[in-house]
Amino acid sequence: MGHYFKSRNYHRKPRVQKQDNPELVARIEKTVARGTSVMTDWERNFLGSILDSAKVWGRLTAKQHGIYQNIETRLDPANIAARASWNDSWDEEKHAAIIFAANYYKANPPYFSDAATRILNDSNYIPTEKLYRKMVENKYVQRAKVNASSGALYEPGSMVTVRDSRSVGGTAWNHRGKDVLILSCQTEHVSAVKGTREYTVLPVGCVEPFTTQERYLKKKR
């Protein structure tokens, strides 16, 4: 019996010792005081919770410390000033650019899905400068902007020919080398791949239209 209790005591986890850490407590208190007017309710509750933990245990978990550092950085006076300056610089041009980027990412998931949804659903939302630059100033969105601004090559009502090439995909494969009538074309085009604007076309002599891409069509000779 004595051996049994000895074994159980041997495997028992040691108690976490309380300790004082006035530097950590003061650091969190400084952050709380600094960000009173700009903190979210969640941040305020989180800081209150870890402040209590710091006072009792003198330490934070690795996860708590990581979250705290992010909040501390965001609430730094220099970063608050930079954020205010960014918000003041917000204009219609930036708004249009972020809306285009959000539409691009909604059409081409999965990147920036949550941010794109918020941007499209909340007209008053201003993303951070860092998020704006990541979403807008990358090569994919810039290519999509070029493709969108180039306009459609073929107008509804015009006759074109499906390319007779092995690269032709989809239903157009069955109509290679044949003439088709353009019924309509995609007006909101948000793809980084050139030639992917979609058209609804009707093959000559057929009654069923189909959808294909601009790159699979060419001018009728």
Side-chain angles (χ1 to χ4, degrees):
M1 183 65 74
H3 175 72
Y4 172 76
F5 281 112
K6 184 177 181 181
S7 297
R8 290 191 65 184
N9 289 334
Y10 177 77
H11 292 290
R12 184 177 295 169
K13 293 182 179 180
R15 292 183 177 179
V16 177
Q17 298 296 319
K18 297 181 179 181
Q19 64 183 37
D20 293 329
N21 191 338
E23 292 82 6
L24 177 60
V25 171
R27 180 181 170 188
I28 297 174
E29 288 178 336
K30 182 179 180 180
T31 302
V32 171
R34 171 188 291 166
T36 301
S37 61
V38 293
M39 279 191 294
T40 65
D41 290 339
W42 186 91
E43 288 172 335
R44 190 174 293 106
N45 292 334
F46 174 79
L47 290 177
S49 176
I50 64 170
L51 180 57
D52 291 340
S53 296
K55 288 178 178 178
V56 174
W57 303 106
R59 65 172 70 88
L60 302 177
T61 66
K63 184 176 181 179
Q64 287 175 329
H65 192 262
I67 297 173
Y68 169 65
Q69 281 189 310
N70 288 336
I71 296 174
E72 183 183 43
T73 299
R74 192 180 78 80
L75 298 180
D76 182 89
N79 291 333
I80 292 176
R83 174 70 176 177
S85 176
W86 169 253
N87 288 348
D88 289 341
S89 74
W90 193 254
D91 55 21
E92 289 299 322
E93 183 179 354
K94 288 188 178 69
H95 180 71
I98 199 66
I99 290 294
F100 181 90
N103 280 315
Y104 170 82
Y105 287 110
K106 292 295 286 186
N108 300 276
Y111 301 107
F112 298 110
S113 177
D114 291 342
T117 298
R118 183 175 182 184
I119 289 165
L120 295 174
N121 292 339
D122 184 358
S123 59
N124 294 319
Y125 171 62
I126 299 178
T128 64
E129 183 176 5
K130 182 178 180 181
L131 178 59
Y132 175 89
R133 297 198 182 284
K134 281 186 175 182
M135 291 184 69
V136 172
E137 297 179 359
N138 63 77
K139 62 182 180 181
Y140 303 104
V141 170
Q142 292 304 308
R143 287 175 186 170
K145 287 181 68 176
V146 171
N147 291 338
S149 63
S150 63
L153 285 181
Y154 311 111
E155 295 294 328
S158 60
M159 294 292 295
V160 297
T161 303
V162 178
R163 293 182 182 276
D164 190 4
S165 168
R166 292 185 178 182
S167 64
V168 172
T171 305
W173 170 266
N174 299 319
H175 300 276
R176 289 175 300 155
K178 297 180 180 179
D179 295 336
V180 296
L181 173 67
I182 301 291
L183 298 180
S184 63
C185 66
Q186 182 184 22
T187 55
E188 297 295 330
H189 182 56
V190 285
S191 173
V193 181
K194 187 176 181 180
T196 54
R197 186 185 298 274
E198 292 188 342
Y199 291 78
T200 300
V201 300
L202 180 66
V204 173
C206 297
V207 295
E208 291 292 333
F210 65 90
T211 300
T212 188
Q213 296 182 347
E214 194 170 77
R215 55 185 167 175
Y216 301 143
L217 304 172
K218 65 180 182 178
K219 290 183 178 180
K220 175 179 168 54
R221 292 184 178 179

